[in-house]
Amino acid sequence: MFDENSSPVPWPTTVVAVGQYSAEMSIGPGPAEQYPIVLTTAQAAELLSVHVEYLRKMVREGRIPAHRFPGGREIRFLRDELVEWVAQQPGHDRSPSADRTDRTDSAK
């Protein structure tokens, strides 16, 4: 995924809590731009670092942006919609860049 001269870019992490379910979701294992614009369920699950069945459950419950083909069996996700959706979820931002900001603010 990365060559030895490049370093991975940190990705945002958030805890998603909806009703009785909660899961830590992150955009990973690297920059979202490495994924195609239109994602299969497996690709979207990998991008979000969740199990495929959990992602399907979220789609059934209408908790995540998804697009169904006519007939309703095939599901596709738009990468940029998922990245935006994760950023909008409530929870503590535990991304490395957020930690730097917290440390800088508390040092003042």
Side-chain angles (χ1 to χ4, degrees), residues 1-2 6-12 27-36 46-47 79 83:
M1 194 170 281
F2 298 100
S6 69
S7 62
V9 176
W11 52 85
I27 300 298
E33 292 78 24
Q34 292 183 352
Y35 289 86
E46 180 183 320
L47 175 69
R79 178 193 66 207
V83 170

Side-chain angles (χ1 to χ4, degrees), residues 41-42 45-46 50-57:
T41 304
E46 180 183 320
V50 298
H51 194 276
V52 173
E53 290 303 319
Y54 181 70
L55 181 59
R56 287 185 182 129
K57 179 178 181 163

Side-chain angles (χ1 to χ4, degrees), residues 67-88:
H67 304 273
R68 288 192 184 269
F69 282 89
R73 299 263 323 145
E74 293 289 323
I75 303 169
R76 292 295 182 267
F77 301 86
L78 299 179
R79 178 193 66 207
D80 295 340
E81 280 183 352
L82 292 180
V83 170
E84 184 179 325
W85 178 81
V86 168
Q88 292 174 353

Side-chain angles (χ1 to χ4, degrees), residues 10-50:
W11 52 85
T13 301
T14 188
V15 175
V16 178
V18 179
Q20 62 182 343
Y21 306 105
S22 68
E24 182 176 325
M25 303 185 81
S26 62
I27 300 298
E33 292 78 24
Q34 292 183 352
Y35 289 86
I37 293 172
V38 178
L39 304 170
T40 64
T41 304
Q43 291 169 324
E46 180 183 320
L47 175 69
L48 297 171
S49 300
V50 298

Side-chain angles (χ1 to χ4, degrees), residues 86-103:
V86 168
Q88 292 174 353
Q89 297 308 299
H92 177 68
D93 184 357
R94 296 187 301 174
S95 64
S97 59
D99 290 342
R100 270 197 312 264
T101 303
D102 292 343
R103 277 187 250 131

